[in-house]
Amino acid sequence: MVNLYPLENAVPHKTDKYELVHQDDPTPVLRRGFKFSMVLRFRNRGYDRSRDVIRLVFNFGPRAHSIKGTKAIIRVEPRTREPAQDRKEWYAGIKSEGPDSVTIEVMAAVHCPVGNWKLQVETGAFSTTDRRVFNYDKDVYILYNPWCCEDLVFMPEERFLDEYILADVGKIWVGPYGSSRGREWVFGQFDKSVLPAAMLMFSKSGFSDTSRGDPIKSTRLISKMVNSNDDDGILVGRWDGDYGDGTAPASWTGSVPILEEYLQNEESVCYGQCWVFSGVTTTICRALGIPSRVVSNLVSAHDTNASLSIDKYYDTNDEELDFDPTNPTGEDSIWNYHVWNDVYMARPDLPTGYGGWQAIDATPQETSDGVYQCGPTSLEAIKQGKVGFNYDVAFMVASVNADLMRWKEDPNAPMGYARIYCNKYHIGRMILTKKPFLFDPNGDKDREDITLEYKAKEGTEFERVSLMNAVRGLKSAQSFFSVPENIKADVDFDLVDLDKIKIGEDYEIVVNINNKSDEVRHIRAVLSSSSVFYTGVKAKLIKKAEGSFSVPPRSTETMRLEIRADDYLNKLVEYCIMKIYAIATVDETKETWADEDDFQVVKPTIQIQMPSKTIPIKKPVLVKLSFVNPLKKRLTNCKFQLAGPSLVRNQGIGHRDVGPGGLVEVETQMVPQVAGEQTIVATFAARELMDITGSVKVDVYDDED
């Protein structure tokens, strides 16, 4: 008989939160590089160290082989000794002996493959060929170990692992710059479905068993397999607002229901968007033992042609082209925000100084090595513009620090288009993650700005030098940055930014004009507003106006276009993001100016009410969810989703149709299972209104304590 004491070993291995170790028939979840104990119990006699031999055989994958590191054959030492100092070899030694048993301490090599291992125990005597083999009937999960300094994922400041490994609820910042908010997300990495789902992901990928102990290769694989574009990965991406044959991305409360569905059906789950891909990636990385955080880049560049610029093109009539005349494979775009992940590890494949946080992106944007994957990309390499380093540095530099260039059709220009404007500060306005050890259910006090970890401060010489380092490393970028701006500019234009408005409010497009010349300037201008998807794709034109007027010398004027609520309410798309846009040309100098701004129409928050913020363990508690319909139309196909680790498991609650201005309200019960501070997350979606969220923190107490 063999007993691995899953729960007892889980405590020193910091895996005691995994549901797998708490089941009636528990599964061991251990970390490489740390010792664990197991007991062998003999049926007829005790252990005799002078004549008995014990071997442990750990097998990984269907073709385990010791040379490849997927099979470990360990002879149990009859005397206790310490493992090798570098922990690179498996170890087993006698810890103690009983009348009919022996306790063995074991350690998995610190670079062994991560995942589910099979264990065989062989016993016999020195003087005979008789061998008895016992097959342990459970998988043994061996994970990365960020608490072990010999592991590549080791994090020196151990206290941060409470956040980047152990925190199972967090926030993902979504929304345009100026109105972004932290959206609650249940990572749920300790749920019983997560590790099996991760193993299914690895097995379906064709990923080499020998590579699964390498966090560099593993996180690159995770960025490939969380999306479904190449290998039947976990999530299907969709951004067009039509989710009738699946779950709308805004309806998910966290990763667990996604991974449960993937595990049960062994098929890709519908649907995800960047922040959903990032949430699932965080869950998988933290479950495997790789420190991970969610990263949101506000005003994020999607550079399709590796030019390190986002290029907008206009014809001679100042109409923006909806294609890129220099790149037939696709046009550049600017996402209101884009969400990816940072993972923490050493980078022995790069020069010293490029370890630490590495960016990976599971959202399918551009291919890398022929498939949709991205990273791991050293943040230091991004900051320095080291585009020759692995992996995908140029794409990530562009995402956070590309220049926005505007080009106007000009037959006399070498490229057929003259550069009329360059904005060096628009891209990567702010890069956010959740602040460790803090969760604010009612605001953004838990927001952490990590922009300076990705790039130097905008406007500094270091920021320009690092971008030019990247440009010099890419021929595709040099032709764009070498073109000078030669348009005379003596009129200044300023589009007044909007951060957000409440749904149902009117708004204005305002452009201030300053004629700095001593002559009258005649100006042709176009103002417009549209609803947009968060990827920057225009959805519906709301209002457009154009005209010509003159500005006296040394004077100022203001252009305005008013948009009323009735103009836009029926043209909103998911997440209620709007774009205001202005373009103007000065007849005398041919100066052309264009600018745009995105803002958000803000929706209500779900109010979560409970009898008290302090609730007893294992007793039913009433939960009420409510908000007021902000639209002047009926809500149909209404549904709440409610989740909270150890509180309530992914509960869906339907609701009747709700009229304009009506109260949306449901009640349900939950039974807390674990004491301590917990978080409840709720979402609401209807056919006419999505992305309504709310959260609350509660303290669960045990009467017996």
Side-chain angles (χ1 to χ4, degrees), residues 1-6 9 27-28 30 36-40 54-61 64 70-76 90-92 104-108 115-123 132-142:
M1 174 184 165
V2 177
N3 194 334
L4 264 68
Y5 292 100
N9 282 314
T27 299
L30 306 164
F36 60 93
S37 298
M38 58 186 293
V39 173
L40 304 186
I54 303 172
R55 293 202 314 172
L56 308 180
V57 181
F58 286 86
N59 293 291
F60 189 83
T70 54
K71 179 190 281 282
I73 304 171
I74 320 152
R75 178 173 167 176
V76 178
W90 288 72
Y91 157 79
I104 302 170
E105 58 179 16
V106 188
M107 188 200 73
N116 49 331
W117 289 74
K118 297 292 185 183
L119 169 62
Q120 289 181 327
V121 179
E122 298 180 356
T123 60
R132 293 183 180 179
V133 178
F134 177 86
N135 291 303
Y136 188 68
D137 62 355
K138 304 286 289 184
D139 285 341
V140 179
Y141 284 96
I142 297 178

Side-chain angles (χ1 to χ4, degrees), residues 497-527:
D497 289 347
L498 281 170
D499 287 340
K500 57 188 174 182
I501 63 168
K502 291 181 180 179
I503 194 164
E505 290 182 343
D506 302 337
Y507 64 94
E508 276 189 321
I509 304 175
V510 178
V511 178
N512 295 316
I513 306 167
N514 179 21
N515 179 4
K516 299 183 294 182
S517 74
D518 295 321
E519 301 174 0
V520 174
R521 292 292 181 240
H522 296 86
I523 295 170
R524 291 176 284 117
V526 178
L527 303 181

Side-chain angles (χ1 to χ4, degrees), residues 11-39:
V11 174
H13 282 242
K14 301 184 185 296
T15 58
D16 51 308
K17 287 189 174 184
Y18 287 83
E19 290 184 1
L20 290 172
V21 306
H22 293 278
Q23 297 180 125
D24 291 339
D25 187 13
T27 299
V29 182
L30 306 164
R31 298 194 188 276
R32 61 188 193 179
F34 275 4
K35 291 187 287 187
F36 60 93
S37 298
M38 58 186 293
V39 173

